[in-house]
Amino acid sequence: MSRRYALYYKELCDLRWNGQIMLIVASVLIVNAGFLLAPHEIHDSFFVAFTMCMLTLLMQGNLMVEEHEQNTNRVLRQAGVKPLEMILIKASITALLTVLHLLAFFLLNGYSWIQIFKTLILVSPVIGMFLGIGTLLGQASKNTVDVSLYAWPIILFYFLVESLVMNLEPTSGLWFVIIPNYHIHYGMLKLQAGELWGVYLLVPFLWCAVAVRMVWRITRV
Amino acid sequence: MRFALHKLGKIEQNQVLLPELSLSVEAGEIVAVQMEAEYMQTLFALMNDPGLYVSDKIEFSGDSSSSLYLCQREDGLYKRLNARQTLKFWSTLYGADANVEELLALCELNALPLRANKRLTYSEQRRLHFARALIQPASAYLFEDPTYGLDLQSKYIFSAILERISADGGCVLIVTSSLEEAILLGTRVYRFSARGLVLVEEKTGNGNEESEIPESDLRQVKFEKILAKVEDKIILFNPLEIDYLESRDGQTLLFVNNETFVSSTALKELEIRLVPFGFFRCHRSYLVNLQRVREIIVWSKNSYSLSLDNKAKSTIPLSKGNYAALKQLIHL
């Protein structure tokens, strides 16, 4: 318990002065404030995708790579800190910030509390998936520059798929069914229309499970 | 309480990364070992391997690596945390009730407790790492080249921390690439090379102890040691440890395992003492240990060199007159 408290203490002391993370948070806030203030026809699912890519993925990747970049892994290992424990501490901070961000956006966008709750359940597997990818990026990178370098192709691909999903009819291609964007977009539409949306959790959950499994494997090495 | 290494070594393919090292450190003792940087790297890589702690190659009163404090030169600090936050973090991490203010004062960091670690000098950062030794509950302490690049103030602070660990009954093992630092820090000093572990110096607490054995029963075995002075210490070398000697600017330089030491004894006098050990005057300014000679290089009719089998693969001159004497000596 005291070890976890120590790790949280260290992360929070460090986060306050982490310019890179602060810049990520600030840019996501500014862009999303622009979404809210300017008249637009973009669906809220794009905002969710933007937050996941720009905040969840990059923040988790940057937090993970810091230990490697600062050569602090060895001392943590010697103190008995398991890699999984460290990943969970960092992921919980990233997840909390993502959820707070989404909560603020949905509230300002006029969602009811029950709608917010349901939407958060719908997007939770995607949060898990991006946390997993961010962790893998952080583990594979040597420094924060590497994280950005490897993250951008993923971000651009996700945005491309997101824009395709938003502009095509649901019946235009079966291959969309295997990507999480489709399920988040149509899940949110169904949820707002008061229709059944639970089925849209399945595929994102599978993606999340794959990402978590990969993270689990690297912690066993 | 005792910390011991039993035949700890590593061979990879055809390369000996670390020759077998056997050594024990008693409670309160500070043992310093001088070795090459490559050996140090391998030793610490082995010490970081959890598999070692279930083998019989290491022995200490603790069942895991967490009972061993390791301080490596490459260990980093969280650059955005300050000294106080770092010590508090370690204190909570190890579940120790450390007095952070006292540690800051001991490390002489109390004037800048709020300065971010990245703004501390290298020596100040190292002092913070040394303070971890007083936080982490450990029975044995292993330091890698602790005084490398440190300022004088930090060296004094490190000595104070060592004294405190020693007084608390901790076993301290310092591994360094500098023999001078090893002699300054350790109560028992060794040199470790491919030829094994050689005791260089042992400081005893009561140097005035009188022997109770009658003088008639004491027989002094004749031995020969070559003296070299390092600061205020005198090091005694086994003649066979020396690769070669050189007379330069009125001084005699001893070349021992990649390091150079100054002896106040003249080369001519050393020649008389070392010839029975297989040394040979190959040049007016050089005396070589023939056991280290690998090649005799003939550059021209009047120019010769000796190539040595030491780590630096040194080449020393061989004069024409001595070439003939050497040929006779080795029955060429």
Side-chain angles (χ1 to χ4, degrees), chain B residues 31-220:
Chain B
V31 173
V33 181
Q34 186 270 331
M35 62 171 75
E36 287 169 26
E38 289 83 1
Y39 291 167
M40 257 194 278
Q41 271 182 355
T42 312
L43 176 67
F44 276 85
L46 288 171
M47 298 306 285
N48 277 305
D49 178 8
L52 179 70
Y53 299 90
V54 290
S55 74
D56 55 359
K57 293 190 170 184
I58 190 164
E59 177 197 332
F60 66 108
S61 64
D63 54 359
S64 73
S65 58
S66 58
S67 291
L68 179 71
Y69 164 88
L70 286 177
C71 180
Q72 290 184 232
R73 261 174 59 191
E74 63 186 35
D75 286 341
L77 291 169
Y78 293 101
K79 56 186 179 185
R80 295 178 208 97
L81 264 61
N82 58 42
R84 183 177 279 147
Q85 287 169 337
T86 305
L87 292 175
K88 195 177 167 196
F89 164 60
W90 282 335
S91 178
T92 321
L93 187 69
Y94 288 107
D97 190 23
N99 186 337
V100 171
E101 297 308 316
E102 188 200 338
L103 289 173
L104 282 171
L106 182 72
C107 298
E108 296 184 18
L109 289 169
N110 44 350
L112 30 100
L114 302 177
R115 185 178 290 179
N117 290 340
K118 64 180 169 188
R119 298 196 199 287
L120 296 176
T121 64
Y122 173 75
S123 293
E124 287 164 348
Q125 289 181 3
R126 298 301 301 160
R127 265 142 63 186
L128 208 47
H129 272 295
F130 298 149
R132 187 163 57 86
L134 301 175
I135 294 174
Q136 183 184 336
S139 41
Y141 298 79
L142 186 51
F143 293 91
E144 181 194 17
D145 233 345
T147 51
Y148 180 84
L150 287 195
D151 54 29
L152 196 60
Q153 179 194 10
S154 303
K155 284 184 183 178
Y156 274 109
I157 291 166
F158 180 61
S159 294
I161 289 173
L162 282 185
E163 271 174 34
R164 199 158 143 177
I165 295 169
S166 173
D168 290 344
C171 308
V172 181
L173 177 59
I174 296 167
V175 185
T176 172
S177 55
S178 157
L179 187 61
E180 292 167 55
E181 291 299 328
I183 290 167
L184 285 170
L185 296 167
T187 51
R188 190 148 50 97
V189 183
Y190 291 95
R191 288 173 67 89
F192 180 64
S193 65
R195 289 168 218 134
L197 200 64
V198 178
L199 181 69
V200 174
E201 190 187 71
E202 187 159 14
K203 295 168 194 161
T204 49
N206 41 357
N208 298 330
E209 261 182 17
E210 279 186 27
S211 173
E212 289 175 7
I213 307 164
E215 211 169 295
S216 57
D217 289 358
L218 285 173
R219 263 190 224 108
Q220 178 71 62

Side-chain angles (χ1 to χ4, degrees), chain A residues 2 14 66-67 71 74 78, chain B residues 68 70 75-76 78 80 92:
Chain A
S2 99
D14 186 82
E66 292 248 300
E67 302 290 345
N71 276 329
R74 200 200 64 76
Q78 204 190 320
Chain B
L68 179 71
L70 286 177
D75 286 341
Y78 293 101
R80 295 178 208 97
T92 321

Side-chain angles (χ1 to χ4, degrees), chain A residues 89-149:
Chain A
I89 300 278
K90 287 175 189 281
S92 62
I93 293 170
T94 311
L96 181 71
L97 211 64
T98 308
V99 168
L100 286 175
H101 207 85
L102 291 172
L103 191 72
F105 178 83
F106 291 141
L107 271 176
L108 293 172
N109 221 11
Y111 281 54
S112 68
W113 281 104
I114 192 78
Q115 270 183 322
I116 292 172
F117 179 70
K118 286 177 180 174
T119 314
L120 286 178
I121 291 176
L122 181 69
V123 300
S124 59
V126 187
I127 296 178
M129 182 186 84
F130 274 104
L131 286 174
I133 298 171
T135 304
L136 293 169
L137 276 181
Q139 295 287 82
S141 306
K142 287 194 184 86
N143 49 45
T144 48
V145 179
D146 274 5
V147 171
S148 304
L149 196 72

